[in-house]
Amino acid sequence: MQFIDLKSQYQALKTGIDARIQQVLDHGQYIMGPEVAELEAALARLTGAKHCITVSSGTEALLIALMAEGIGPGHEVITTPFTFAATAETIVLAGAKPVYVDIRPGDCNIDPALIEAAITPATRAIMPVSLYGQVADMDEINAIAARHGLSVIEDAAQSFGASYKGRMSCNVSRIGATSFFPSKPLGCYGDGGALFTSDDALAQAMREIRVHGQSARYTHTRVGVGGRMDTLQCAVVLGKLERFEWEITQRKRLGDRYAELIQASGVPVELLDVASDRDCVWAQYTVKVDDRAAVIAALKEQGIPTAVHYPRPLHRQPAYERPDCPPTCFPHANRAADRVMSLPMSADLGDAEQQRVVEALVNAMATA
């Protein structure tokens, strides 16, 4: 069994993806070819944001967003410690300081009730992460930011296609940043990402930063990066958009079915909360278990792959730990890191396969 079944996805979309790639090979515009603008227009329509700027990765998207907002040395950015390293990595690369706020145990997203206490005169932005495919509490976060004159950058690397109170992820704050890493709900066949905003000046800044700060060829009006998403990867994503709506529907259906099957089994597995005013696209179908190592080993013996997203919070990572924050800080993030476990999930996961996963989980919990 595949943890993420990209092979079946490709077979279903092979004709369209192959044709898209061949078009690029035929016209030969591998950097900033016509597929780049075509994809940006399609993604802007999908999210409802005025502007989409494709970039070379989700990590680069976050860095460009910070640079466009003028965030650098002496500044602080509030974020969650329970996320992939790229979230804090980009803050540090920009020259700023990540300031962590604990998560809510129910959904593992940043707790808005704790953000205001972390704001200092050096704070310039809040970077919530829409973890596992569910948008964080953006209305509360945006309200806090408005009171303090801060920017909000949604790290939506895992939530593209998710909705929040009738709006789409990546269009629920000043800037949205997502990733097209192959395992994401909408992935390419390499690295890629995108930025979203409805602010014209901010969009122009991000476009210029993406191409080494150029406002025109060889006219460098600001410091930039080599952050373009190549044309071939844009072609792949365009090919995948053919059935993206179906894939999101499937992911939500499979997420609901996982919950129903696990709850019906009676095993002591804790499910993540999904708020009634939003949905989750389940970039990872993540649950919480005690004695995780034994459960994972028992599942492996039954041929069921798993993953852990994430085993060590950022405040306990050597590169991002803080002297004023010992490992015991952020108890909810620490506890989640000890207990989270992700099960196989992709739009092409069959019902019989899913049933097999849950049956194996029941057996694993009984023997662990």
Side-chain angles (χ1 to χ4, degrees), residues 1-9 243 246-247 249-259 261 282 284-285 303-305 342-358:
M1 181 180 294
Q2 300 290 316
F3 183 70
I4 299 171
D5 189 359
L6 294 177
K7 292 180 181 178
S8 293
Q9 182 193 54
R243 70 165 201 170
W246 175 86
E247 290 207 13
T249 300
Q250 280 292 98
R251 283 178 170 272
K252 290 188 280 191
R253 184 187 72 82
L254 288 164
D256 290 342
R257 189 165 184 267
Y258 256 136
L261 292 171
W282 298 114
Q284 295 88 25
Y285 189 82
I304 304 300
S342 300
L343 300 172
M345 168 59 87
S346 57
D348 293 288
L349 181 70
D351 286 359
E353 288 181 302
Q354 189 178 36
Q355 182 74 46
R356 179 185 159 206
V357 172
V358 175

Side-chain angles (χ1 to χ4, degrees), residues 276-357:
S276 60
D277 58 4
R278 68 204 74 173
D279 56 28
C280 185
V281 295
W282 298 114
Q284 295 88 25
Y285 189 82
T286 301
V287 298
K288 300 176 190 175
V289 297
D290 295 322
D291 201 3
R292 180 177 63 199
V295 174
I296 287 175
L299 285 168
K300 185 177 181 180
E301 287 183 2
Q302 300 175 79
I304 304 300
T306 58
V308 176
H309 305 96
Y310 298 95
R312 184 187 294 185
L314 298 185
H315 68 287
R316 288 164 41 201
Q317 295 283 357
Y320 304 109
E321 61 189 7
R322 295 252 310 276
D324 60 338
C325 180
T328 52
C329 280
F330 316 119
H332 295 313
N334 283 330
R335 181 158 170 74
D338 290 340
R339 300 181 68 229
V340 292
M341 178 183 72
S342 300
L343 300 172
M345 168 59 87
S346 57
D348 293 288
L349 181 70
D351 286 359
E353 288 181 302
Q354 189 178 36
Q355 182 74 46
R356 179 185 159 206
V357 172

Side-chain angles (χ1 to χ4, degrees), residues 34 43 55 80 103 105 149 160-161 186 199 213 271 285 287 307 311 364:
L43 297 178
V55 294
T80 166
I103 60 172
F160 192 80
L186 181 62
D199 184 291
L271 305 178
Y285 189 82
V287 298

Side-chain angles (χ1 to χ4, degrees), residues 135 159 161-169 252 277-279 281:
V135 177
S159 61
S163 65
Y164 169 84
K165 299 184 179 180
R167 292 167 284 158
M168 300 300 291
S169 178
K252 290 188 280 191
D277 58 4
R278 68 204 74 173
D279 56 28
V281 295

Side-chain angles (χ1 to χ4, degrees), residues 24-37:
V24 177
L25 296 175
D26 288 341
H27 66 56
Q29 298 177 56
Y30 300 115
I31 301 297
M32 300 303 289
E35 286 79 7
V36 176

